Amino acid sequence: VKVLKGTFKAGPFAAIPRKVLVVTQFTVSIVLIIGTIIVFKQVQFAKNRPVGYSRGGLVNIEVTNDDLHKHFGALKADLLKSGAVTEVAESSSATTGLNNNRGDISWTGKDPSSSVFFGSIRVSTEYGKTVGWQFTQGRDFSDRYISDSLAVVLNETAVKYMGLKKPIGEIVNVGKRDLTVIGVVKDMVMESPYEPVKQTIFYLGRGAYDDMLIRINPGISAHEAVEKIATVCKMYSPSVPFSYKFADDEYARKFSNEQRIGKLASVFAGLAIFISCMGLFGMASFVAEQRVKEIGVRKVLGASVFGLWRMMSKDFVVLVIISVIIAIPLSYRFMDSWLQHYTYHTSLSWWVFALTAAGALLVTLLTISYQSIKAALANPLKSLRSE
């Protein structure tokens, strides 16, 4: 009879499995939410990292034969004449990749036993203007100086690694050639945006290059500029299909893995929160039904709607607080371990944990408030009448 009437209770421990399930669900949800925020924070942190050059409007064309290099002077003149570009240069690497490394580099004060590879990039004299080099010391390559054929430009990391206090005028031996340092530029992030910049040297090259870099005229649309560039390039290399890449797009691809992780984590976090809220809603309905007579008696004795809502919400809030206490150290450990895979990484800010905890509590209150307020507003005559 008690079972059929719904008044049967299985004992004082009947609610424990439900409470454990709620705590577990919210713990997983909070860990996933914190993880999602940290992943997106790390991606944004790396995106805001200074890259040492100007990516906007920079186009890279991979040179697959010698035609463009052999006619580079005429090609450059025609491109500038078209009005589509402002600068053109050649290089052995794109700005978003470092193709060449070499270890046959020495300088005054180098430890004879040390063996390290430098990034090595051959460039034309127009390279610095095209990519937007940011000089900290010295000057750029120039056609006005014949001696620049035996000159070298270093990045800041190379200067620090070599221990050069006054780098301008120093001699660096590269492949049995003595090159004079004429300039120092800010580090260019050419490889992973999450790793330290490699020590790199730039020098004027001889022979064919692997890439041609073009700075688009900001006064015209990118689509129109690319069409004009393609027309000029096909004049000098008709047998090779025209192919190009924007530096902005190539740099953005370096974040694809982390962004994919972030999107997946956000989807799972949303599902976990939804399931947790459904469980809370069901529990709130169940508890409200169980305590309907108690609520009626309290209301007759003068209890306010706010007081009844607070009474019914308290137990659920305690469960979520327990989830927060468990989830925060877990998520901190997991995310700190994940961030250690990146040399250049964001910090685990306290506000991420505080915001997530506050959000979990807010979602809990919103979820259970409907049933709590509904029970508090119910007519006590109906709940207290005799069966």
Side-chain angles (χ1 to χ4, degrees), residues 61 79 225-235 242 244:
I61 298 174
L79 285 172
V226 168
E227 285 186 343
K228 291 184 177 181
I229 293 169
T231 301
V232 174
C233 288
K234 287 177 182 177
M235 290 170 51
F242 177 72
Y244 66 95

Side-chain angles (χ1 to χ4, degrees), residues 95-114:
T95 55
T96 52
L98 189 54
N99 299 336
N100 306 302
N101 296 280
R102 60 191 307 164
D104 57 345
I105 298 176
S106 59
W107 60 93
T108 303
K110 179 187 178 183
D111 184 355
S113 62
S114 68

Side-chain angles (χ1 to χ4, degrees), residues 6-156:
T7 60
F8 176 78
K9 295 182 180 179
F13 301 107
I16 290 180
R18 293 193 295 271
K19 292 180 179 180
V20 170
L21 184 59
V22 168
V23 170
T24 303
Q25 288 177 331
F26 264 90
T27 299
V28 173
S29 302
I30 292 167
V31 169
L32 284 171
I33 291 170
I34 291 174
T36 302
I37 295 173
I38 295 297
V39 169
F40 282 112
K41 191 168 178 278
Q42 167 68 357
V43 171
Q44 200 59 41
F45 181 76
K47 281 185 175 180
N48 293 335
R49 181 182 184 181
V51 295
Y53 67 97
S54 177
R55 296 193 309 269
L58 186 62
V59 176
N60 182 80
I61 298 174
E62 188 176 352
V63 179
T64 54
N65 61 20
D66 291 342
D67 293 342
L68 296 179
H69 174 69
K70 288 178 180 177
H71 305 95
F72 180 72
L75 172 66
K76 176 184 173 184
D78 285 344
L79 285 172
L80 294 173
K81 191 186 299 182
S82 71
V85 305
T86 56
E87 297 289 347
V88 186
E90 292 181 290
S91 170
S92 61
S93 291
T95 55
T96 52
L98 189 54
N99 299 336
N100 306 302
N101 296 280
R102 60 191 307 164
D104 57 345
I105 298 176
S106 59
W107 60 93
T108 303
K110 179 187 178 183
D111 184 355
S113 62
S114 68
S115 177
V116 65
F117 283 88
F118 280 65
S120 171
I121 301 180
R122 295 182 299 111
V123 300
S124 64
T125 53
E126 308 87 358
Y127 181 84
K129 292 179 180 179
T130 304
V131 302
W133 258 346
Q134 299 172 20
F135 278 87
T136 59
Q137 296 183 54
R139 62 173 178 85
D140 199 353
F141 295 112
S142 174
D143 291 326
R144 294 180 296 172
Y145 301 100
I146 299 176
S147 59
D148 277 4
S149 59
L150 293 174
V152 64
V153 171
L154 307 176
N155 69 351
E156 290 178 309

Side-chain angles (χ1 to χ4, degrees), residues 7-8 16 35 68 83 108 125 154 170 174 189 193 201 204 208 214 233-234 248 263 265 278 288 328 336 375-376 387:
T7 60
F8 176 78
I16 290 180
L68 296 179
T108 303
T125 53
L154 307 176
E170 288 283 346
V174 181
V189 181
I201 62 171
L204 296 180
I214 298 174
C233 288
K234 287 177 182 177
D248 264 343
K263 288 178 181 178
M278 291 293 288
I328 286 179
D336 183 63
E387 288 82 351

Side-chain angles (χ1 to χ4, degrees), residues 320-333:
V320 176
I321 290 175
I322 293 171
S323 299
V324 169
I325 293 172
I326 297 172
I328 286 179
L330 281 176
S331 56
Y332 183 91
R333 183 172 181 178

